[in-house]
Amino acid sequence: MSDHQTSVFSQIARAPEDPILGVTVAYNKDSHPSKLNLGVGAYRTEEGKPLVLNVVRQAEQKLVNDPSRVKEYLPIVGLADFNKCSAKLIFGADSPAIHENRVATVQCLSGTGSLRVGGEFLAKHYYERTIYIPSPTWGNHPKVFTLAGLSVKTYRYYDPATRGLDFQGLVEDLGNAPQGAIVLLHACAHNPTGVDPTVDQWEQIRKLMRSKGLLPFFDSAYQGFASGSLDTDAQSVRMFVADGGECFAAQSYAKNMGLYAERVGALSIVCKTADVASRVESQLKLVIRPMYSNPPLHGASIVATILKDSNLYNEWTVELKAMADRIISMRKQLLEALQARGTPGDWTHIIKQIGMFTFTGLNADQVAFMTKEYHIYMTSDGRISMAGLSSKTVPHLADAMHAAVTSMP
Ligand code: PLA
């Protein structure tokens, strides 16, 4: 019998912090002046400050100045203009799938929400409820898809020995996957490894997957961040759409438009016919309505405003390229700093890897040492967010890595 002193939850176990977002929690508790957060993938300027893109400020101003804008509910599938522009952004404006109305696009809560809605839809309507995710992958993938009702398996992706793609392992594992299985692919800038297949390898993956009827589910969280070009970074997805087959794509605007907290993203399902696409969309509404009813307006309006206006769009591509270039320059500076210190080992993977992260190869003990002694915060798998570094903080990081590697090899 419980009295008023005893909680009905008194037996509840404390949950661990999230492996990625928990790094920020720990960082926030540290009062050391030279502390550095290289955990979560969030872009910072050379001054170490979060960046609101100039085009985002302009779009917001436009929205505020428009008295015709109201706060009515959006449709369950979200803002129509946003959905149209998002599909064009990932598949290309001249994509036959779009012209033939074969794409069902719904606005979702950023990349995570798009993955979850796609996962729930598949668990409800697809015959093969197994999804293969790369090993390693973004830590939230297995949780999202398991809770969506899919059974999660992994395929080999990264080879620690070469710090590159385990292409043979990948081909073997996908080759052994059951007919029809779903395969999660990072569209570009694989997280956490920074290792992407070449165009030629993508083509081999595509052929293999199509020959086995494997269903591609692209996670596109970094379009524009890998190469600096939105089109180049969407090439993998477009190869799979060009063959006329079906495919899923989850898009996030968190990184490429810096809209992290606005939670703007889209799920697109490319279907064989317009009729199937419209029935798929009708079922997506049944997934979304009981989950969060309909998505928020503000972030999607910002994105639609930018994507519809050719001047803003062009300005965006310039700002995006500048972010990508700054990250590439951080890679060079970190490599040079380690070489200058004579840090043991080959560190050239720092400049070979792509996107926001470097998968350093540092182990959990070395990471813990760097956090304790140097107040540098990063995930325990040795991943560093290069977007959180600046010319001023590179020497501090290089000192810490040098000390970690030499004192605990
Ligand atoms: N997919 C991948 C591959 C990601 O890396 C992330 C974010 C998402 C989806 C989801 O992003 P969104 O929901 O915010 O659009 N990964 C971050 C943040 C940047 C995180 O873990 O939530 C990361 O540090 O890995």
Side-chain angles (χ1 to χ4, degrees):
M1 294 296 104
S2 69
D3 57 46
H4 67 280
Q5 299 278 335
T6 317
S7 168
V8 292
F9 301 117
S10 55
Q11 295 305 310
I12 204 162
R14 178 171 305 282
E17 289 285 357
D18 182 79
I20 297 173
L21 301 183
V23 173
T24 303
V25 175
Y27 167 83
N28 287 337
K29 286 185 191 152
D30 188 336
S31 58
H32 199 273
S34 51
K35 68 176 179 174
L36 188 55
N37 187 3
L38 305 177
V40 67
Y43 185 83
R44 297 282 183 274
T45 63
E46 264 293 294
E47 289 69 47
K49 296 269 174 350
L51 178 68
V52 179
L53 297 187
N54 194 30
V55 281
V56 168
R57 296 267 191 227
Q58 289 179 62
E60 285 188 315
Q61 207 56 59
K62 260 182 134 172
L63 294 170
V64 168
N65 292 341
D66 180 355
S68 71
R69 283 176 47 79
V70 294
K71 303 287 189 189
E72 296 269 297
Y73 290 128
L74 282 178
I76 296 172
V77 296
L79 193 65
D81 274 350
F82 167 84
N83 288 338
K84 234 181 262 160
C85 294
S86 294
K88 276 192 198 165
L89 186 68
I90 183 105
F91 302 123
D94 54 358
S95 170
I98 294 176
H99 292 300
E100 291 156 14
N101 286 319
R102 293 192 281 111
V103 186
T105 304
V106 291
Q107 179 192 332
C108 296
L109 304 185
S110 214
T112 308
S114 307
L115 294 165
R116 180 67 185 262
V117 168
E120 301 256 353
F121 171 86
L122 286 162
K124 215 167 153 191
H125 298 285
Y126 190 55
Y127 73 97
E128 176 50 81
R129 294 193 188 83
T130 308
I131 186 163
Y132 281 75
I133 61 174
S135 173
T137 191
W138 180 46
N140 214 19
H141 277 149
K143 301 172 197 174
V144 165
F145 292 120
T146 302
L147 285 172
L150 298 172
S151 139
V152 175
K153 296 220 166 87
T154 60
Y155 62 88
R156 276 171 284 170
Y157 188 85
Y158 180 75
D159 181 357
T162 63
R163 294 198 169 121
L165 186 68
D166 181 0
F167 187 63
Q168 203 187 328
L170 179 152
V171 166
E172 269 173 37
D173 290 350
L174 295 189
N176 291 326
Q179 171 85 20
I182 309 154
V183 179
L184 190 279
L185 301 159
H186 294 227
C188 70
H190 182 273
N191 177 9
T193 66
V195 173
D196 285 351
T198 63
V199 173
D200 182 54
Q201 287 168 334
W202 273 121
E203 179 55 16
Q204 294 182 55
I205 296 168
R206 188 193 65 76
K207 278 197 189 128
L208 169 66
M209 285 182 57
R210 290 310 193 199
S211 76
K212 293 206 59 183
L214 303 176
L215 184 61
F217 193 146
F218 280 97
D219 182 354
S220 177
Y222 300 94
Q223 190 181 353
F225 253 90
S227 68
S229 154
L230 288 156
D231 289 319
T232 304
D233 287 358
Q235 203 177 351
S236 58
V237 180
R238 292 178 191 177
M239 288 165 74
F240 278 77
V241 176
D243 67 15
E246 301 188 300
C247 115
F248 282 53
Q251 283 169 274
S252 167
Y253 291 95
K255 272 71 73 174
N256 59 11
M257 263 193 212
L259 292 175
Y260 306 89
E262 297 292 355
R263 313 307 294 148
V264 211
L267 170 73
S268 285
I269 306 181
V270 179
C271 307
K272 285 272 184 184
T273 68
D275 178 49
V276 172
S278 83
R279 281 182 280 138
V280 163
E281 187 191 291
S282 74
Q283 288 293 343
L284 286 170
K285 293 205 269 187
L286 296 193
V287 173
I288 292 166
R289 172 64 167 150
M291 205 191 289
Y292 54 86
S293 192
N294 46 67
L297 173 65
H298 186 66
S301 304
I302 296 171
V303 172
T305 303
I306 294 170
L307 296 185
K308 277 194 312 188
D309 179 314
S310 60
N311 288 330
L312 288 178
Y313 181 90
N314 288 335
E315 257 188 73
W316 174 44
T317 61
V318 173
E319 287 191 83
L320 181 56
K321 176 88 169 47
M323 289 194 284
D325 284 349
R326 202 188 76 75
I327 295 172
I328 291 168
S329 133
M330 287 305 112
R331 291 185 181 283
K332 292 193 184 120
Q333 290 183 32
L334 180 59
L335 176 62
E336 282 164 19
L338 290 171
Q339 287 172 340
R341 282 160 182 74
T343 308
D346 177 4
W347 295 95
T348 51
H349 55 289
I350 294 174
I351 56 167
K352 288 182 200 141
Q353 293 172 353
I354 291 166
M356 234 176 186
F357 303 108
T358 291
F359 205 44
T360 57
L362 294 166
N363 62 39
D365 291 338
Q366 291 168 328
V367 170
F369 168 87
M370 287 167 56
T371 305
K372 184 161 174 281
E373 302 297 329
Y374 289 82
H375 303 270
I376 291 172
Y377 290 79
M378 51 194 276
T379 52
S380 59
D381 59 1
R383 185 190 84 168
I384 286 178
S385 171
M386 298 306 284
L389 264 182
S390 72
S391 305
K392 265 173 270 160
T393 52
V394 163
H396 181 55
L397 174 61
D399 287 344
M401 288 172 72
H402 184 83
V405 170
T406 47
S407 69
M408 33 198 340

